[in-house]
Amino acid sequence: MRRSTKARLGAVVAVISLGTALASGPPAAAAPTGGSDVRVTCNAGSVCGWTAYNFGGLGTTSAAVASGQCKNLSISVRSAINHSFSYQRFWTNSNCTGTSYLLAPGESATIMGAGHRGLGGF
């Protein structure tokens, strides 16, 4: 009789524990930092930009652009992170003309002024 009482008590404890876990729900997902678009991850070697200041709004990611080359961006960038290993220059025009903003490797800019539509290597 003693064994079955222990077995029942163990089963009751297991059911209560499971009920408590189910009632509390899944763990909350971590909120993105800096208000960035969670769809954009800026990995090593990448250059990332956002449509709003302070890494907010829509985002885009790109491989670093080689020196002397130009890449048109799909969005107008107002804040950026350079996780590449070379200097990258954001240009106000999509053909890498106009006013530029230079970011060193590992550097970020929360407020770049006017939107930038071109990305070039330096």
Side-chain angles (χ1 to χ4, degrees):
M1 184 86 168
R2 190 171 231 208
R3 264 183 148 197
S4 65
T5 302
K6 283 186 180 179
R8 282 189 218 144
L9 182 58
V12 168
V13 169
V15 169
I16 291 171
S17 297
L18 178 61
T20 302
L22 292 174
S24 64
T33 58
S36 64
D37 183 345
V38 296
R39 295 173 292 177
V40 176
T41 301
C42 201
N43 296 319
S46 297
V47 180
C48 304
W50 288 265
T51 57
Y53 300 134
N54 299 311
F55 316 112
L58 298 176
T60 187
T61 186
S62 172
V65 178
S67 180
Q69 300 296 309
C70 179
K71 178 180 181 178
N72 294 336
L73 299 173
S74 60
I75 62 172
S76 184
V77 171
R78 288 182 174 81
S79 57
I81 299 174
N82 181 4
H83 279 179
S84 77
F85 306 103
S86 60
Y87 282 83
Q88 297 292 292
R89 190 179 294 274
F90 286 86
W91 294 90
T92 52
N93 298 326
S94 59
N95 57 356
C96 292
T97 61
T99 305
S100 67
Y101 195 103
L102 183 65
L103 284 180
E107 188 177 16
S108 64
T110 58
I111 301 175
M112 293 172 41
H116 294 74
R117 299 295 304 224
L119 177 62
F122 180 76

